[in-house]
Structures are given as C-alpha cells and as structure tokens.
Amino acid sequence: MTSSQDDHHRRAQGAQQRFTLPADARQIILVRHGSSTGATAHVIALGDLTISNPPLTADGERQAEAVAQALAGEAIAAIMVTPLQRTQQTAAPLARATGIAPRCIDDLREVHLGDWEHSFYDHAAAGHPLVSRMFVEESWDVIPNAERGEAFSARVRRGLTMVCDAIDAGETAVVFSHAATIAEICRQTTGSRAFAFMATENASISRLIVDRDGGWKLRSFNEVGHLPGD
C-alpha cells in the first residue's frame, strides 16, 4: 500500500489525525518567563505604578534558550513581550533565531500586588495569614491595594485581543508573559475556578486556539518537556 493509499485508508477508517491549525483559526503560544532573581532590588515605573522588574537568573537564561529550541519548528508570525525585563530576556533567543522583533503588550504584564508588590515572597515565606487567605478565596483582592480581580481580568482580555488582532487567520503568535496572567487567560478560556491554573512553571509552554468566531480553546497547559534537568 502506498503512503497516499495508507492515508486514505486511515481517513476512511475514522482514524484520528494529528492536530493542524485550521486556516481560519489563530494559535497563541503562551510562555511563562524563565526563572528570575529576587524582586526587591529591581523596579520599573509604569504610569502611577512602581512594578517589580527582576532580571533572569543564569538558570532562567538557559530556560530561555530551551524555549527557543522547542519552538524553532513553529511557523511564528509574531512575538509579544511585556514591559518587564524577565519576559523580554526570555524572548530574546527566539527573537534572534526568527529575526522577529518582539512587540510589547503592556496589558499582559503580571498582576500588581499593591503594598506587597516588592515583598510578596517575603510574606509568603513568613507564613503571613493573608497569603493563605488569598489562596483559599482565590482572590488577589485580599492583598492591601492590590489590583482588583475584575480590573485584572479586563486588561488581560484586552491584551490578548490585541495579540489576536496583530496576526492573521492561520498564523501563530508567541506571547512571553507571567504566571498569574497565563492563569487568568486559561481561566477565562475554560471557565474554571480563579486560581485553577496557577501552577505554570518557569519557561513552560501553553497553547491557545482562537477560533474563527473568536472563541478560545485551551489546547495544552504547562508543557515542560523541553526544559533542561537540574
């Protein structure tokens, strides 16, 4: 049996085929930034906000190279980053490999943690009761002056809409973003609990398909097989 006859036979038997992006759909590959240093010493001013802006660690740089290798075979039309350097540094190897200049999407930056923006991990390590309450209630709102959940949800949706508008049907964009932001995109896509997708690892890959009618479908979450071992 020839290859073409074999393909025809499998289709006739109803065999499942490997996924290919429909010509009228868009694919958004979501990449969490690589491992970064402590937040306290590095900040950036965005409007009235002072935002934690740490760089990648050496491990984060290796993770960024692994992401570029993993996505080397993808037909990428656009690369997006946030204003925070850890996403830009994670995107850099892929940008060099593809020759695509990353575009900054401010609305896809990390959730702002208000009074704890530069001290969240210190509070978590100390066992602050508000950290436990935050995870129990699955709400950022319990942190003093943190970005309100509804506002965060709205800007994340706005940012992802900008990504979709920047590519054509049948194309793929790679978005380098943050744990809470990716979790929120997955929540909106699936209608899950608020923190159901908060397990994104550094430099992990998740895939979102945007249908012709604008509907979102989560194809994969937290792919880490490309990452180097310890």
Side-chain angles (χ1 to χ4, degrees):
M1 184 180 291
T2 67
S3 176
S4 61
Q5 289 172 330
D6 186 50
D7 289 343
H8 176 76
H9 178 72
R10 287 200 304 272
R11 287 194 296 270
Q13 295 298 315
Q16 292 181 324
Q17 304 298 308
R18 293 194 63 182
F19 175 85
T20 56
L21 183 66
D24 58 358
R26 294 165 173 81
Q27 178 177 218
I28 299 175
I29 299 176
L30 302 167
V31 181
R32 187 187 175 195
H33 63 80
S35 178
S36 58
T37 65
T40 305
H42 303 86
V43 298
I44 185 175
L46 291 177
D48 296 332
L49 299 176
T50 301
I51 296 177
S52 178
N53 190 32
L56 295 184
T57 63
D59 282 343
E61 292 173 354
R62 286 189 287 270
Q63 291 166 349
E65 294 288 349
V67 168
Q69 292 177 20
L71 298 180
E74 303 278 351
I76 297 168
I79 296 173
M80 276 69 172
V81 296
T82 76
L84 307 183
Q85 63 175 331
R86 55 194 185 272
T87 65
Q88 297 169 17
Q89 292 171 348
T90 308
L94 182 63
R96 288 194 297 270
T98 60
I100 298 173
R103 173 182 172 184
C104 186
I105 306 291
D106 178 72
D107 281 335
L108 294 178
R109 70 183 186 277
E110 184 61 288
V111 64
H112 192 266
L113 297 178
D115 294 356
W116 288 13
E117 176 69 9
H118 314 297
S119 59
F120 176 82
Y121 291 106
D122 293 334
H123 289 302
H128 196 291
L130 281 185
V131 176
S132 297
R133 181 182 163 194
M134 181 192 79
F135 283 107
V136 168
E137 297 184 11
E138 300 192 8
S139 172
W140 304 109
D141 295 4
V142 303
I143 297 175
N145 297 311
E147 185 172 10
R148 300 296 90 181
E150 289 184 2
F152 178 55
S153 296
R155 78 162 166 86
V156 168
R157 177 167 284 274
R158 186 169 62 240
L160 200 66
T161 298
M162 292 176 65
V163 174
C164 291
D165 289 345
I167 58 176
D168 292 327
E171 292 186 336
T172 294
V174 182
V175 175
F176 291 83
S177 190
H178 307 268
T181 306
I182 293 170
E184 175 59 22
I185 291 171
C186 294
R187 183 201 69 78
Q188 292 189 30
T189 301
T190 63
S192 73
R193 302 188 334 267
F195 282 13
F197 291 92
M198 281 295 290
T200 48
E201 297 184 48
N202 289 117
S204 63
I205 294 171
S206 302
R207 296 171 187 267
L208 184 72
I209 305 301
V210 181
D211 292 335
R212 175 179 55 187
D213 61 2
W216 300 0
K217 291 183 173 64
L218 188 63
R219 182 179 165 222
S220 72
F221 172 69
N222 201 45
E223 299 173 23
V224 294
H226 59 285
L227 296 178
D230 295 333

